[in-house]
Amino acid sequence: MLTVMGGNDMPGHTHHQDDRLRRLRKVEGQVRGLQRMVDEDRYCIDILTQVSAVTRALQAFSLDLLDEHMRTCVAEAVAKGGDEADGKLREAHDAITRLVRS
Amino acid sequence: MLTVMGGNDMPGHTHHQDDRLRRLRKVEGQVRGLQRMVDEDRYCIDILTQVSAVTRALQAFSLDLLDEHMRTCVAEAVAKGGDEADGKLREAHDAITRLVRS
Amino acid sequence: MLTVMGGNDMPGHTHHQDDRLRRLRKVEGQVRGLQRMVDEDRYCIDILTQVSAVTRALQAFSLDLLDEHMRTCVAEAVAKGGDEADGKLREAHDAITRLVRS
Amino acid sequence: MLTVMGGNDMPGHTHHQDDRLRRLRKVEGQVRGLQRMVDEDRYCIDILTQVSAVTRALQAFSLDLLDEHMRTCVAEAVAKGGDEADGKLREAHDAITRLVRS
């Protein structure tokens, strides 16, 4: 059930933060792995396959972060209504557009 | 300024509907144009360029429709809070995920 | 086994053409279906789901057309080498870039 | 002008390799920057904007690597024709499909 609360007040916030850091460290490791593959002059198709895996991991990271943002900051602003809601919804729309087009 | 109201009560609703129908009829015309290009055995690269134009038009259509959905149905549910808000936000998240991955 | 031949000499060319026309007519029908959904003021999420289906169908169409182009026009040019190969490979690269970014 | 040669024989190969390593190290730095943003609990939209920048950099990296692969390994196989060409073109098609869908 959604009870609208501010971003940092969310009880699960630290849990989410830890999970995000863990996922980004994994991506960092994958990118260093790509560097080794290039250094070892590995076959291009294998490198391309690994890059697609990194891109998909970043995409999933963004979708989850966007979802939490909608459930906290945007929901809080919408509950208040007015210009704040308008601004938050426009920001979310622009972020979704960047995500779709990257 | 965002005043939360139901989807169909929006004064601009008919205007948005007309605009959407106009955009979809244009896409329909572009797809028929693609059929002619295939029929006339036009150069593949030219056909691919035209398909990319159609895909971008559909993407823009989806982004605008999603934005209006967020400002009406989702905002209305979030203002009420509870399970309804939860459901609408999950639905929006799934729609954004499909949009990103298509 | 790949025997390099010009685009239109390919025995399967008419078959491919028929298949492409069939797929594009299906897309045209789906787009008209979208128009009905908008006209009937159907729920936004259902319309978005249908648009994603159309975009995926166009994407698959483009990937197949690109593959055949690589196996005919580009392969023929590469077999000859020189500037013609260079031009065809650059064209294919640009088409792939558009496809990735649309 | 395209003179077909094997992947590692390409005179520019080391140059390309250095450029690739440089780009991947930059991405690694950007991902560490994302970790700091999460750690500092920076605003979600700013983090999402930075993730889109990393995804676009990886996409450009892949498109360039694919282009060089087409101009070397695939072109060399196509010049020979037969099953080798067939296999290389199918591999390239699968890599392009992954790139489009990630």
Side-chain angles (χ1 to χ4, degrees), chain C residues 1-2 4 56 59-60 63-64 66-67 70-71 75 78-79 81-83 85-86 89-90 93 96-97 99-101, chain D residues 1-2 4 59-60 63-64 66-67 70-71 75 78-79 81-83 85-86 89-90 93 96-97 99-101:
Chain C
M1 205 190 76
L2 179 93
V4 175
R56 266 198 311 278
Q59 205 181 60
L63 286 167
D64 288 347
L66 179 66
D67 188 42
M70 301 290 291
R71 289 173 177 278
V78 164
D83 289 346
D86 205 48
L89 284 164
R90 195 176 312 113
H93 175 67
I96 294 166
T97 302
L99 194 52
V100 168
R101 294 200 170 137
Chain D
M1 204 190 78
L2 179 92
V4 174
Q59 205 181 61
L63 286 166
D64 288 348
L66 179 66
D67 188 44
M70 301 290 289
R71 289 172 178 278
V78 164
D83 288 347
D86 205 48
L89 285 164
R90 195 175 312 112
H93 174 68
I96 295 166
T97 302
L99 195 52
V100 168
R101 294 202 171 134

Side-chain angles (χ1 to χ4, degrees), chain A residues 1-4 56 59-60 63-64 66-67 70-71 74-76 78-79 81-83 85-87 89-90 92-93 96-97 99-101, chain B residues 1-4 56 59-60 63-64 66-67 70-71 74-76 78-79 81-83 85-87 89-90 92-93 96-97 99-101:
Chain A
M1 204 192 78
L2 181 91
T3 31
V4 173
R56 266 198 310 278
Q59 206 181 62
L63 286 166
D64 288 348
L66 179 65
D67 188 43
M70 302 290 289
R71 290 172 178 279
V74 176
E76 196 189 339
V78 164
D83 289 346
D86 204 49
L89 284 164
R90 195 175 312 112
H93 174 68
I96 294 166
T97 302
L99 195 52
V100 168
R101 292 200 172 136
Chain B
M1 206 192 75
L2 179 93
T3 32
V4 176
R56 266 199 310 277
Q59 206 181 59
L63 286 166
D64 289 346
L66 179 66
D67 188 42
M70 302 290 289
R71 291 173 178 277
V74 176
E76 197 190 339
V78 164
D83 289 347
D86 206 47
L89 284 165
R90 194 176 312 113
H93 174 68
I96 294 166
T97 302
L99 193 53
V100 169
R101 294 198 170 137

Side-chain angles (χ1 to χ4, degrees), chain D residues 6-70:
Chain D
N8 298 10
D9 316 339
M10 265 190 59
H13 184 75
T14 343
H15 159 68
H16 283 218
Q17 223 180 359
D18 294 344
D19 178 56
R20 274 193 205 109
L21 285 171
R22 182 187 56 75
R23 290 166 80 172
L24 288 175
R25 286 195 193 106
K26 190 180 167 201
V27 167
E28 184 189 345
Q30 287 175 301
V31 173
R32 272 208 298 276
L34 279 169
Q35 290 167 21
R36 279 193 302 275
M37 291 177 85
V38 169
D39 217 30
E40 293 158 10
D41 211 9
R42 291 273 296 277
Y43 188 45
C44 295
I45 295 288
D46 297 336
I47 297 175
L48 286 169
T49 303
Q50 183 58 19
V51 175
S52 290
V54 176
T55 312
R56 266 199 311 280
L58 286 171
Q59 205 181 61
F61 175 90
S62 289
L63 286 166
D64 288 348
L65 183 59
L66 179 66
D67 188 44
E68 195 197 310
H69 178 66
M70 301 290 289

Side-chain angles (χ1 to χ4, degrees), chain A residues 6 15-16 25 28 33 41 45 79 87 89 91:
Chain A
H15 159 69
H16 282 216
R25 286 196 192 105
E28 185 189 344
D41 211 10
I45 295 288
L89 284 164
E91 247 185 8

